[in-house]
Amino acid sequence: MGSMGDSEVVLLGWRLSMFGARVKIALAEKGVMYEYKEEDLPHKSPLLLKLNPAHKKIPVLIHKGRSLCESKIIVEYIDESWKSKSPLLPSDPYFRSQAKFWADYIDKVIYDVGMKFMAGPKGQEMEKARHEWFGYLKVLEGELGEKPYFMGDAFGYVDIVLMSYYNHFYTFETLGDFSLKIESPKLFAWATRCMKRESVSKSLPDPHKIYDHTIIYRKSIGVQD
């Protein structure tokens, strides 16, 4: 990551966000230099509120003075705007639609169950969350099959979307008392492959900082650990 003198590309983000991480991965994959501005989420900047009045959320990408919101839309925009590097999405309309379907599935199910683990379910609720989680992982393993990456031989859009959650898995595993390596060895092998890419390893937040932040969050909502 670098800073451009004229700041042609600016990313507003938050250090532990999985959604900001995927934009960082996409920019790194395309070799795009950008200026990064960290947001203090309890005290959002006037710039963020102005550029994303609908959701008031990060990430926001500013390119040539125009702003884009919603991480998956931003990743698609990055792919279409910097075509000189390897594509992140397939050009074939069918495979492109499949990539978008799986990215959408990941955001619906992984985020939902991840939030359940973070909220501190107990007893039966925890068992239910774990059961759901293992079910979703099985579906994703089925889609991955024997391919090195979700869309085939090349790292791309679906991998970016799922890998953006990967360093949050440490928190889910610790709170849910399970191991991805044991429960989903195929997904674990895929994630290990993805982590060898500098674009991924340097863009993801520290898993221990995510965990520490989650414990503080749980205390704030009255969960006793």
Side-chain angles (χ1 to χ4, degrees), residues 133-198:
W133 178 254
F134 297 148
Y136 296 143
L137 294 182
K138 213 173 248 4
V139 170
L140 289 169
E141 278 202 330
E143 174 54 25
L144 181 64
E146 300 309 314
K147 305 187 295 286
Y149 300 105
F150 272 91
M151 297 313 292
D153 291 332
F155 177 84
Y157 182 66
V158 181
D159 306 296
I160 290 172
V161 170
L162 185 53
M163 274 310 288
S164 65
Y165 288 98
Y166 184 62
N167 279 10
H168 287 72
F169 282 13
Y170 169 75
T171 297
F172 304 163
E173 288 176 305
T174 308
L175 299 176
D177 191 26
F178 60 84
S179 158
L180 183 73
K181 192 173 184 177
I182 293 165
E183 297 295 337
S184 289
K186 197 179 278 185
L187 272 187
F188 182 79
W190 161 83
T192 306
R193 196 175 305 125
C194 293
M195 282 298 266
K196 289 179 179 162
R197 303 179 79 83
E198 201 174 281

Side-chain angles (χ1 to χ4, degrees), residues 4-208:
M4 295 186 73
D6 60 355
S7 300
E8 188 184 74
V9 183
V10 181
L11 174 62
L12 308 187
W14 178 57
R15 67 191 185 284
L16 301 183
S17 167
M18 64 277 282
F19 303 115
R22 62 180 57 158
V23 176
K24 290 180 182 177
I25 295 170
L27 289 167
E29 281 288 322
K30 294 285 188 173
V32 178
M33 300 286 277
Y34 62 97
E35 181 185 342
Y36 176 72
K37 291 187 175 178
E38 176 77 6
E39 281 287 330
D40 175 8
L41 294 187
H43 310 97
K44 293 167 186 173
S45 72
L47 183 62
L48 174 62
L49 298 175
K50 178 186 164 195
L51 297 180
N52 190 356
H55 296 301
K56 305 177 176 62
K57 289 177 179 175
I58 57 95
V60 173
L61 187 77
I62 307 162
H63 182 213
K64 296 180 178 174
R66 298 188 298 185
S67 59
L68 297 103
C69 309
E70 293 297 299
S71 62
K72 291 202 296 288
I73 292 170
I74 295 171
V75 172
E76 289 172 37
Y77 174 84
I78 290 166
D79 191 36
E80 288 163 10
S81 299
W82 285 276
K83 286 186 180 290
S84 58
K85 291 285 176 93
S86 300
L88 302 175
L89 275 146
S91 55
D92 177 274
Y94 174 76
F95 292 115
R96 197 178 178 86
S97 71
Q98 292 304 294
K100 290 185 179 185
F101 170 85
W102 285 107
D104 196 49
Y105 176 82
I106 287 160
D107 269 356
K108 283 193 172 88
V109 302
I110 300 293
Y111 185 80
D112 184 45
V113 182
M115 287 299 108
K116 286 181 185 172
F117 286 130
M118 288 181 165
K122 294 275 188 280
Q124 259 187 318
E125 283 301 305
M126 173 57 91
E127 276 312 305
K128 192 178 163 196
R130 282 158 55 108
H131 183 72
E132 269 185 72
W133 178 254
F134 297 148
Y136 296 143
L137 294 182
K138 213 173 248 4
V139 170
L140 289 169
E141 278 202 330
E143 174 54 25
L144 181 64
E146 300 309 314
K147 305 187 295 286
Y149 300 105
F150 272 91
M151 297 313 292
D153 291 332
F155 177 84
Y157 182 66
V158 181
D159 306 296
I160 290 172
V161 170
L162 185 53
M163 274 310 288
S164 65
Y165 288 98
Y166 184 62
N167 279 10
H168 287 72
F169 282 13
Y170 169 75
T171 297
F172 304 163
E173 288 176 305
T174 308
L175 299 176
D177 191 26
F178 60 84
S179 158
L180 183 73
K181 192 173 184 177
I182 293 165
E183 297 295 337
S184 289
K186 197 179 278 185
L187 272 187
F188 182 79
W190 161 83
T192 306
R193 196 175 305 125
C194 293
M195 282 298 266
K196 289 179 179 162
R197 303 179 79 83
E198 201 174 281
S199 63
V200 177
S201 60
K202 289 196 167 177
S203 299
L204 296 184
D206 181 329
H208 298 282

